[in-house]
Amino acid sequence: MSHYLLGVTGASGAIYAARTLHYLQKSGHFVSLIMTDAGKDVADYEGQREELFKADEILDVKDFFASCASGSSAFAGMAVVPCSMGTLGKMANGVADNLLTRAADVCLKERRKLVIVPREMPYNWIHLKNMEQLTLAGAVVIPASPHFYAKPQTVEALADTVVAKILNHLDVPNAIVPEWGSNK
Ligand SMILES: Cc1cc2nc3c(=O)[nH]c(=O)nc-3n(C[C@H](O)[C@H](O)[C@H](O)COP(=O)(O)O)c2cc1C
């Protein structure tokens, strides 16, 4: 069992976070949830707050005394999903002004897995530069770009095409989307 952090911001797509939480827990992992204020509001609005509150631990985004604010805390990695352009900008520039951005900063400095799932369209130059900066710092940017070639029949299955990629990059084996070519 590993310990993962799930950061949820005020970008659209709380379903991606809820599904990520579901599969992490199903795989036997312990998940700590950190939601920004806007993240709570948008998750509420998108009907996902209840699902997200199934996390094993819910941390206060203002609590810098939480263990994951320190590099000495042995969590395995973190996903920020969905990631707003505001939080993206903070993380890309070392602005650790809340527990979510501080934990992301800890991931980068300790060379742990940091998966960022940005959601916006279109991207402006600042967004793209921030994604470049985070990639150079060691994060993996996985845009919330679902695919259709697995022929998903439900919104959940469509969201899971993104979630499978998040789990892969957190080193969590899953069979959500069959490996391409495996059905031949
Ligand atoms: C319904 C709704 C959807 C939003 N979707 C996005 C989005 O997809 N991407 C984004 O960057 N901001 C989005 N926003 C705006 C963010 O919530 C806002 O910039 C907020 O300050 C982000 O704060 P946070 O990064 O602390 O969560 C949305 C806001 C609302 C109310």
Side-chain angles (χ1 to χ4, degrees), residues 4 9 28 37 52-53 82 86 95 106 147 172:
Y4 288 98
T9 76
D37 291 343
L52 286 168
F53 274 36
V95 180
V106 167
H147 69 73
V172 176

Side-chain angles (χ1 to χ4, degrees), residues 46-182:
E46 295 185 345
Q48 297 293 334
R49 192 163 175 174
E50 215 171 293
E51 284 304 305
L52 286 168
F53 274 36
K54 291 178 181 167
D56 300 287
E57 178 181 49
I58 297 171
L59 299 172
D60 182 344
V61 75
K62 295 184 191 79
D63 181 11
F64 287 109
F65 286 86
S67 62
C68 63
S70 165
S72 62
S73 162
F75 63 90
M78 176 176 190
V80 183
V81 48
C83 183
S84 71
M85 295 305 100
T87 291
L88 184 85
K90 288 185 196 175
M91 292 188 297
N93 292 282
V95 180
D97 66 341
N98 64 38
L99 185 62
L100 190 160
T101 50
R102 170 61 187 167
D105 206 56
V106 167
C107 281
L108 294 176
K109 82 184 178 77
E110 301 295 336
R111 308 294 194 268
R112 294 192 201 147
K113 294 270 176 190
L114 176 60
V115 170
I116 294 167
V117 183
R119 219 299 318 176
E120 188 47 278
M121 61 193 290
Y123 294 130
N124 68 31
W125 184 80
I126 295 167
H127 303 153
L128 293 167
K129 293 305 281 182
N130 285 335
M131 284 184 227
E132 179 193 33
Q133 183 89 335
L134 282 164
T135 302
L136 291 172
V140 177
V141 176
I142 298 178
S145 306
H147 69 73
F148 295 83
Y149 52 80
K151 301 187 175 70
Q153 299 298 307
T154 61
V155 173
E156 287 75 17
L158 185 65
D160 284 356
T161 65
V162 172
V163 172
K165 209 44 120 175
I166 296 169
L167 296 172
N168 289 347
H169 282 272
L170 289 176
D171 292 333
V172 176
N174 66 88
I176 302 173
V177 178
E179 200 178 321
W180 180 249
S182 63

